[in-house]
Amino acid sequence: MAKFLIRAVIAALGLWVASRFVPGVHMDDTGTLVLAALLLGIVNAIVRPVVVILTLPLTLLTLGLFLLVVNAAMIGLVAWFLEGFRIDGLIPGVLAAVITGLASWIGGIALRDDRR
C-alpha cells in the first residue's frame, strides 16, 4: 500500500508538471491533482492492460509508438471522470502521458529495491 501511495505522489508530480508546461492540460486545484493521480493509478492497473492487449496488433505495427496514444487515452479517461481536470485534445494528452511516464520512470528508478 505504501508503494502505491508513493507512486501516486510521483504520478501527481508528473501531472502537475504537465499542467504547468503543456498548453491544453488544465488542473483546477490540488485536490483534483491528488484525485487524478489516484484515479490514474487505478485506471492503469485495471483498464490499461485490457486496452494494451486489444491494441497489440496496432502497437506491434507501430513498433510500440501506439502505447503513447494508449497512455494519453488513460489520462483522457481520468480527465473525463474528474470535473476539474481537462485535456484539450490528443497532442496535449500525449505530451502529458510522456511527462507523466518520465516522472514515473524516474520515480521507479528511485524506488528500486536493491535486494535483487
Side-chain angles (χ1 to χ4, degrees):
M1 185 67 171
K3 279 193 175 186
F4 176 78
L5 292 176
I6 292 171
R7 290 184 189 274
V9 168
I10 293 168
L13 180 64
L15 288 172
W16 177 78
V17 170
S19 70
R20 292 289 176 215
F21 294 109
V22 177
V25 178
H26 308 283
M27 195 79 59
D28 284 351
D29 57 7
T30 307
T32 304
L33 178 65
V34 171
L35 282 173
L38 290 173
L39 191 56
L40 185 61
I42 293 168
V43 165
N44 280 339
I46 297 171
V47 178
R48 187 176 182 272
V50 174
V51 173
V52 166
I53 289 173
L54 290 175
T55 61
L56 189 60
L58 192 54
T59 301
L60 291 173
L61 187 66
T62 62
L63 303 175
L65 289 176
F66 191 73
L67 286 176
L68 289 173
V69 176
V70 170
N71 291 341
M74 297 304 107
I75 291 177
L77 182 64
V78 170
W80 184 67
F81 278 120
L82 287 178
E83 191 75 24
F85 180 37
R86 292 183 314 280
I87 304 288
D88 295 338
L90 180 65
I91 300 300
V94 169
L95 292 175
V98 168
I99 291 171
T100 306
L102 284 173
S104 296
W105 177 64
I106 292 169
I109 290 172
L111 293 175
R112 187 178 317 177
D113 191 8
D114 290 332
R115 288 182 277 174
R116 292 185 204 177

